[in-house]
Amino acid sequence: GAAPGRAARKYAAMASFNEDPADRAAELERMLVGHVCTLETAFGFYTLGDCRYAIGDYKGAHEAWKTLHEANITNALTDQALFQDGRALDASGDLLAAIHAYNSFAARQPEEALVHFNLGEIYGRLGQFSDAAKAYHLAADLDKSADLQVRRDALFNLGGDQTKQGLYLDAVATLTTLVGLDDGAGFHVLRLAEALKGAGKRDDALREAQRAVALLTKATIDGFDADWENERQTALREASALVGALEADLGARLGTTPQP
């Protein structure tokens, strides 16, 4: 099956909660009711958006962040509010408005890799794969961080989209770049093997599928995470099945039967 893409990610939050976010939201609502957004109240509106987002009130979060970016108090606050508003609109299901908020942010901060990644992720969900590809390429090119996390996630999603569309040679190129950066403990290598098989490069696909099995078999993370372990086992089953299918195919081409 198609691998789930890496989800849209968060800009560094300015607020942290030392108390229940619902209580904090109620307290801020009492303080801010009837107040316009000024330099004095701006951070209150920002935090209100964060608290509402944390409790799943995405429309309320949008209202708070929209108030803040429309007030345009400082460039930094407007940037933060636009980015967070994109997240809130996305979470509330208003994808076109989310794209508009993210594009407004990108017009102000064109070098910010993360906004292009989040745009790519929304375009992919809408099936607008050519817009998604442009956004992912930008995200990958702009990520200059030490861990290149945005670049890796952008290449992973782009390769997945290309595979879904049957653009197997493009997917092979994208995923080869990704695996060169990070084998993903086998997860990335499996996606490359699938793309190679789609592209008809069966011997290369078999080699990468075998490598994926070896990496996934010994993959570990710090601490136990049931979701990650389920994903590892699912990927390992997929990689093993792919090896089996490719070995059978190779046997048929060579006129031999693979050993049981």
Side-chain angles (χ1 to χ4, degrees), residues 29 70 72 74 130 145 150:
E29 279 156 12
E70 287 183 344
N72 198 18
T74 69
S130 108
S145 64
V150 173

Side-chain angles (χ1 to χ4, degrees), residues 16-236:
S16 60
F17 306 121
N18 299 322
E19 58 187 302
D20 181 86
D23 294 345
R24 182 82 176 115
E27 188 186 312
L28 285 162
E29 279 156 12
R30 284 193 298 274
M31 280 167 49
L32 296 170
V33 70
H35 283 270
V36 290
C37 188
T38 62
L39 192 55
E40 284 65 45
T41 58
F43 193 69
F45 279 99
Y46 185 88
T47 309
L48 177 59
D50 244 4
C51 293
R52 285 172 170 171
Y53 191 96
I55 60 176
D57 176 11
Y58 303 122
K59 287 193 165 63
H62 157 64
E63 289 303 328
W65 284 326
K66 178 171 181 265
T67 300
L68 181 53
H69 65 71
E70 287 183 344
N72 198 18
I73 307 293
T74 69
N75 285 335
L77 278 168
T78 300
D79 292 344
Q80 279 274 358
L82 276 168
F83 191 100
Q84 302 292 15
D85 196 17
R87 290 177 57 236
L89 288 160
D90 181 4
S92 72
D94 194 344
L95 300 188
L96 296 180
I99 287 169
H100 180 73
Y102 280 143
N103 276 327
S104 299
F105 174 92
R108 298 166 61 90
Q109 295 287 347
E111 304 292 304
E112 174 55 71
L114 190 51
V115 73
H116 299 292
F117 175 84
N118 286 7
L119 279 164
E121 207 266 333
I122 295 176
Y123 285 132
R125 274 185 276 143
L126 289 169
Q128 293 172 223
F129 292 120
S130 108
D131 288 328
K134 280 185 209 136
Y136 283 141
H137 280 299
L138 259 177
D141 291 346
L142 288 168
D143 183 13
K144 304 289 191 279
S145 64
D147 66 359
L148 295 178
Q149 187 64 54
V150 173
R151 181 178 300 179
R152 289 184 280 155
D153 286 351
L155 291 169
F156 183 85
N157 284 7
L158 177 59
D161 285 353
Q162 289 165 333
T163 300
K164 260 185 241 163
Q165 295 169 85
L167 301 172
Y168 296 116
L169 289 172
D170 290 343
V172 166
T174 299
L175 294 166
T176 299
T177 303
L178 172 61
V179 167
L181 278 176
D182 174 15
D183 62 28
F187 288 97
H188 299 167
V189 180
L190 170 58
R191 300 307 159 211
L192 173 57
E194 290 167 343
L196 284 161
K197 177 174 179 263
K201 296 172 181 283
R202 289 175 291 198
D203 296 338
D204 292 341
L206 177 56
R207 184 190 68 241
E208 295 300 335
Q210 288 167 333
R211 181 155 75 110
V213 167
L215 287 164
L216 287 160
T217 301
K218 62 177 205 266
T220 55
I221 51 169
D222 294 334
F224 182 73
D225 179 326
D227 290 340
W228 183 87
E229 182 54 28
N230 285 338
E231 280 177 24
R232 185 190 72 85
Q233 290 184 15
T234 301
L236 184 53

